[in-house]
Amino acid sequence: MEDLLKLVEPQTPQLPEYTVSEISFEIKKFVETTFSRVKIRGEIFGAKRADSGHWYLSLKDPNAVLSAVIWKGTASRLGFKPEDGLEVVATGKITTFAGKSSYQLVIEQMEIAGTGALLKLLEERKQKFAAEGLFDPAHKKPIPFLPEVIGVVTSASGAVIRDIIHRVRDRFPSRIIVWPTPVQGEGAAEKIAAAVRGFNALPRGGIIPRPDVLIVARGGGSLEDLWPFNEEIVIRAVYDSEIPLISAVGHETDTMLIDYVSDLRAPTPTGAAEFAVPVKAEILATLQTAQSRLTNGINRYFEERRSRLEGLSRGIPNLEQILAESRQKLDDRIERLHLAFKNMLAGKQNQIAQTSLRPYHILNIFEKKQENLKNLAFRLDSVSIDSVLSRGFAWVRDNRRQTVYSVAQAQKSPSLEIRFIDGSIKTKTERKKNETLQGDLFDLFSDGAVSDRK
């Protein structure tokens, strides 16, 4: 029975014993050897860039999450910035981290998992920016007709800048200032945005002239290569630009978010140069045409006015005849005026001559005036009071010194004043009988006049 039990009991194997470090090393060796080169598809989750320039993120699918890291050197070569929600295909190797008993994918190469995923992200951003009003046509500024200075944001070593310079020189030579920036890869978006803001920060009248218009340009490429021009930092820098901006990214069929926010989109960098400046020869031709039209118009205007004046002149009398009659009248007036002056001067000369020959004429006038004055004085003296009194008359006045002309007036005054040529006397009029007074006064008054009897 015991022998039978020994046959059915499982045999316990002899397991090797490891320390923690030893087993961690074995696992690390196994994992890194087995998965030294893998390609993993997943959605980026929790991506962030450290101050050192390394990127730390996770790749996930509906069932699992895998930590990953992109070293700084590898990140600078990527054509896009790792962003949450972006589906990618990452190539690299699996490594373990014994300190945390974890493993991670060290990404050596990464690309977006198909154009569809990238286009989906592009559409989501487009809707977000449009909702904020960043693409509103009312915000777009007009491009100046003839800018003196053009600022260009692009790579300094590419064919794009050469095409722009040549096209501007061919059309209308203007000053071009280039702000060289990378146009793809890690950090390109930040440097493009910094260039746009840098141009706007230039003071007017400074050592470096402030451009009148900006061109942000890049040649053609894949969607991943052009992705920096879809980054939010670039979109907001272009929206905030006070200088009018022309975008020229990729080929004519490529449309980036910068094209929606810029003031004008050009299909190519060469097209941007054509939008920035006009053709000098065309301007000169337009000016010549305008000058010719202006000259013809002025000539036609004066010709029409000349014809109209000629027509009106037919209804006007002969001006020479009108002027001749007026001249004749003027000559007649001048002659008569001369005669009048001569006659007046002759008369004055005659008067002067007569006056000089008879100087006593003035004395006669004076004597006549003096005689007239004496006669007036004599007449005035003859009617004076003293003259009347000297002829024997008397002047009777009552107590109020009013002249008395009759007996009735004399009876009403208690006293009378009688003035003669050589003096005055006063008398009272009080009597027992009025008759006596009347008889006494008879010698003084006769019919209201003063008697000359004494």
Side-chain angles (χ1 to χ4, degrees), residues 231-447:
E231 298 289 0
E232 182 173 359
I233 190 173
V234 173
I235 303 306
R236 297 197 181 277
V238 173
Y239 179 82
D240 295 335
S241 175
E242 296 178 358
I243 303 174
L245 188 144
I246 302 174
S247 63
V249 178
H251 298 297
E252 186 172 0
T253 56
D254 299 322
T255 303
M256 303 295 109
L257 295 183
I258 190 176
D259 297 327
Y260 295 101
V261 72
S262 62
D263 299 301
L264 182 64
R265 180 204 178 235
T268 61
T270 303
E274 295 175 354
F275 288 154
V277 292
V279 179
K280 184 177 181 180
E282 293 179 357
I283 295 177
L284 293 176
T286 302
L287 290 176
Q288 291 175 355
T289 301
Q291 182 179 7
S292 177
R293 293 178 61 186
L294 179 61
T295 302
N296 294 335
I298 292 175
N299 292 336
R300 186 168 56 254
Y301 174 83
F302 283 110
E303 185 64 30
E304 291 175 356
R305 293 300 182 273
R306 186 181 297 107
S307 299
R308 185 178 180 185
L309 287 175
E310 291 176 354
L312 293 175
S313 65
R314 297 188 185 97
I316 299 176
N318 191 328
L319 296 180
E320 290 295 330
Q321 182 179 357
I322 295 174
L323 292 175
E325 295 177 359
S326 298
R327 290 194 192 99
Q328 186 175 1
K329 290 181 180 179
L330 181 61
D331 293 340
D332 180 64
R333 298 296 189 275
I334 292 173
E335 183 177 0
R336 292 173 62 182
L337 183 62
H338 287 166
L339 291 175
F341 273 119
K342 290 176 64 176
N343 294 334
M344 183 184 69
L345 290 175
K348 295 298 181 181
Q349 290 175 351
N350 187 28
Q351 291 179 4
I352 293 172
Q354 292 178 359
T355 302
S356 62
L357 293 174
R358 295 186 300 169
Y360 58 87
H361 179 71
I362 295 174
L363 297 176
N364 290 340
I365 295 175
F366 179 75
E367 291 174 355
K368 288 182 180 180
K369 296 298 182 182
Q370 189 174 17
E371 185 67 24
N372 290 336
L373 183 61
K374 289 181 180 180
N375 291 336
L376 291 175
F378 179 77
R379 291 175 63 185
L380 180 62
D381 183 65
S382 67
V383 295
S384 66
I385 293 176
D386 290 339
S387 178
V388 174
L389 294 178
S390 66
R391 295 198 301 270
F393 292 95
W395 184 14
V396 181
R397 292 187 293 181
D398 59 14
N399 61 331
R400 291 177 298 178
R401 301 183 68 81
Q402 299 293 325
T403 302
V404 177
Y405 296 98
S406 66
V407 173
Q409 288 179 330
Q411 291 176 345
K412 294 179 181 179
S413 177
S415 62
L416 298 173
E417 179 186 5
I418 303 172
R419 180 181 174 185
F420 299 97
I421 187 62
D422 57 350
S424 299
I425 62 173
K426 291 185 179 182
T427 181
K428 294 182 179 181
T429 60
E430 294 180 352
R431 294 289 185 272
K432 292 180 180 181
K433 293 182 180 180
N434 293 333
E435 291 80 5
T436 303
L437 175 62
Q438 184 176 2
D440 295 338
L441 296 175
F442 180 79
D443 293 336
L444 297 174
F445 299 97
S446 178
D447 294 330

Side-chain angles (χ1 to χ4, degrees), residues 2-45:
E2 292 178 359
D3 295 336
L4 181 61
L5 290 173
K6 291 178 180 181
L7 292 174
V8 298
E9 287 180 357
Q11 299 294 321
T12 301
Q14 295 295 322
L15 296 176
E17 182 177 313
Y18 297 95
T19 65
V20 175
S21 298
E22 290 173 344
I23 193 63
S24 298
F25 174 77
E26 291 296 330
I27 294 174
K28 181 179 182 66
K29 184 173 65 173
F30 174 77
V31 170
E32 293 184 358
T33 301
T34 306
F35 304 103
S36 61
R37 188 70 177 174
V38 294
K39 180 179 289 189
I40 301 175
R41 184 188 187 102
E43 180 183 335
I44 296 177
F45 170 73

Side-chain angles (χ1 to χ4, degrees), residues 48 51 56 81 101 111 190 258 261 287 298 367 402:
K48 66 178 181 178
D51 295 337
Y56 297 94
K81 181 176 73 174
S101 297
E111 57 187 25
E190 288 78 4
I258 190 176
V261 72
L287 290 176
I298 292 175
E367 291 174 355
Q402 299 293 325

